[in-house]
Structure formats: C-alpha cells, structure tokens
Amino acid sequence: SQELEQSPQSLIVQEGKNLTINCTSSKTLYGLYWYKQKYGEGLIFLMMLQKGGEEKSHEKITAKLDEKKQQSSLHITASQPSHAGIYLCGAEPIKAAGNKLTFGGGTRVLVKP
Amino acid sequence: EAQVTQNPRYLITVTGKKLTVTCSQNMNHEYMSWYRQDPGLGLRQIYYSMNVEVTDKGDVPEGYKVSRKEKRNFPLILESPSPNQTSLYFCASSSQGGLGNQPQHFGDGTRLSIL
C-alpha cells in the first residue's frame, strides 16, 4: 500500500523565518496534495501537484514535486503566526484508484512571535 | 458558499447505541468519502463513493456502513459503536472521482466519543 512519510513530525520556527516540510513516498505518485489543518478542525486545501518537477506558489507557500514524483516539499517563506497548524500531504498512488487518498502523518508547525 | 457539512460536530454516546453522522455537499460532486483521524495513525479512509448507489471500502471499513441514495448526501452509520471507534471523523467530496484532477474538499469534522 502507499506509504507517505512526512518530516519533520513537528517544528518550531521563529516568526519571519523560513521553513520546509518534506513528504516522501515509497511509490510513484499520481497526484500529490497539500492540506493545512488547525487543531481539531477541517482540512484546508493548499495545493495540488501532478507533474514531475512541478512547482506551485500561493502567497508565501511554495510546493514542489520532484522529477521522479516520489518526493514533495512545502516551503513557507517569512513565516507568520497564521501559518501555525498541521500540514498534511495526501497522494493518489495510481490513476483511477477510486481517489483513494493516502495521507502522511502530518507536520505540526508552531510559529513563535 | 461551497461547502461540506457534517452533523453533529460533537457526540458522546455509549457502546452499542446506533448512530449516524450525516454529510452533505452543495457542489454537485460525484465523489464522497469518509476518513477517521487518530493520533499516531493519521487520516485513514473508511468508505468512499464514486457516485449515487456506488460505494466501496477504504482502508478501515470494519464497524461502519454507508449509503449514497442521493448525490449530495453520504451518511456514515455505526450500527453498534464501540470505544475503538472514538475518533475525529471527516467527510470529503470532489468532482469526477478525483483522479488527480480535483482536490477533495473536507468538512469541519465530527468528534465522536464512545463510552
């Protein structure tokens, strides 16, 4: 089955500093999604990556998918308190898999003012 | 406003008492899914539905039932809840069954406690 490893599991960053979260798969990914979750609340969709080498940005968040489509990174520039939360990567292992998303364990981000 | 709505948001109940968590989406999405989220285990898929009257098991379907009689609704049924079903549950929907084209939109979650 699809395994997604996220690292680090948690991190504390000073406000204004950059941070990077990684998501690694044991298999080639068909689609890779990044979500943000505030504790105990729903998941907010951030970005979707499909093509090898693809990179997308929204405000201060940039996500990349490597050429082999087995690793993705999420980078936040000049972090703010609003960036605090749990970041989850989700992936579809193969096409037409019934949209069976597998999720990584999450990365808990705390931004210190 | 496009959204996925779950009810109830919180529920404390006792072992064996049947319960239903409702999920409704107003985006005319074909695909709907249920997940549970547990500490250390992350999000795991329970059941999903590609369209009306089409449902299939996810990774952890034991102890759950679903139905998809209408496009907008996808209730999760626990016929005889047990304490190991205490968890945070999420409903999600997307168009075209996903397939990497459209992201899943999630509800705000239902926190179930089974005593």
Side-chain angles (χ1 to χ4, degrees):
Chain A
S1 62
Q2 182 77 41
E3 293 275 343
L4 285 178
E5 287 281 338
Q6 277 187 246
S7 62
Q9 289 187 340
S10 63
L11 68 99
I12 302 172
V13 62
Q14 194 72 39
E15 183 177 355
K17 297 295 185 183
N18 303 338
L19 67 97
T20 299
I21 300 167
N22 294 303
C23 177
T24 303
S25 169
S26 56
K27 299 180 181 178
T28 300
L29 304 169
Y30 178 70
L32 190 287
Y33 304 83
W34 282 101
Y35 289 86
K36 179 186 174 185
Q37 181 183 24
K38 290 191 177 179
Y39 181 72
E41 297 183 11
L43 279 69
I44 300 167
F45 170 72
L46 296 175
M47 271 172 275
M48 175 180 73
L49 303 166
Q50 268 190 283
K51 300 174 185 175
E54 187 174 11
E55 179 176 321
K56 288 187 178 178
S57 294
H58 177 67
E59 297 181 344
K60 295 185 177 182
I61 301 177
T62 300
K64 301 178 185 179
L65 183 62
D66 74 338
E67 289 290 342
K68 291 184 178 179
K69 297 176 68 175
Q70 285 188 276
Q71 186 166 9
S72 179
S73 61
L74 187 82
H75 184 77
I76 299 177
T77 304
S79 59
Q80 301 169 351
S82 61
H83 289 126
I86 301 170
Y87 290 82
L88 293 150
C89 63
E92 296 170 15
I94 58 173
K95 189 176 181 180
N99 200 13
K100 189 174 177 178
L101 274 186
T102 300
F103 284 89
T107 297
R108 190 179 296 268
V109 172
L110 179 63
V111 179
K112 287 172 55 178
Chain B
E1 180 188 352
Q3 58 186 4
V4 178
T5 304
Q6 296 177 227
N7 279 297
R9 292 291 315 280
Y10 305 92
L11 178 63
I12 301 174
T13 187
V14 295
T15 299
K17 186 177 181 181
K18 180 179 178 180
L19 68 91
T20 299
V21 184
T22 64
C23 175
S24 179
Q25 49 92 6
N26 62 359
M27 295 168 279
N28 201 36
H29 283 167
E30 293 176 356
Y31 178 92
M32 297 185 76
S33 179
W34 276 103
Y35 297 86
R36 59 179 289 174
Q37 186 177 36
D38 302 288
L41 296 174
L43 271 163
R44 295 175 293 168
Q45 191 177 52
I46 303 170
Y47 268 96
Y48 66 94
S49 170
M50 296 292 283
N51 213 325
V52 176
E53 302 291 0
V54 180
T55 63
D56 208 346
K57 297 177 180 179
D59 293 319
V60 287
E62 296 78 20
Y64 305 94
K65 286 175 59 177
V66 293
S67 69
R68 187 88 182 276
K69 293 183 170 54
E70 307 166 278
K71 201 171 189 178
R72 62 182 293 124
N73 296 322
F74 190 44
L76 180 70
I77 303 157
L78 285 71
E79 293 273 4
S80 183
S82 62
N84 64 11
Q85 292 177 299
T86 292
S87 186
L88 180 58
Y89 290 85
F90 288 102
C91 179
S93 74
S94 69
S95 60
Q96 300 176 342
L99 304 181
N101 294 321
Q102 296 292 334
Q104 292 188 28
H105 299 268
F106 284 77
D108 287 335
T110 295
R111 188 170 291 281
L112 282 183
S113 294
I114 315 294
L115 304 177

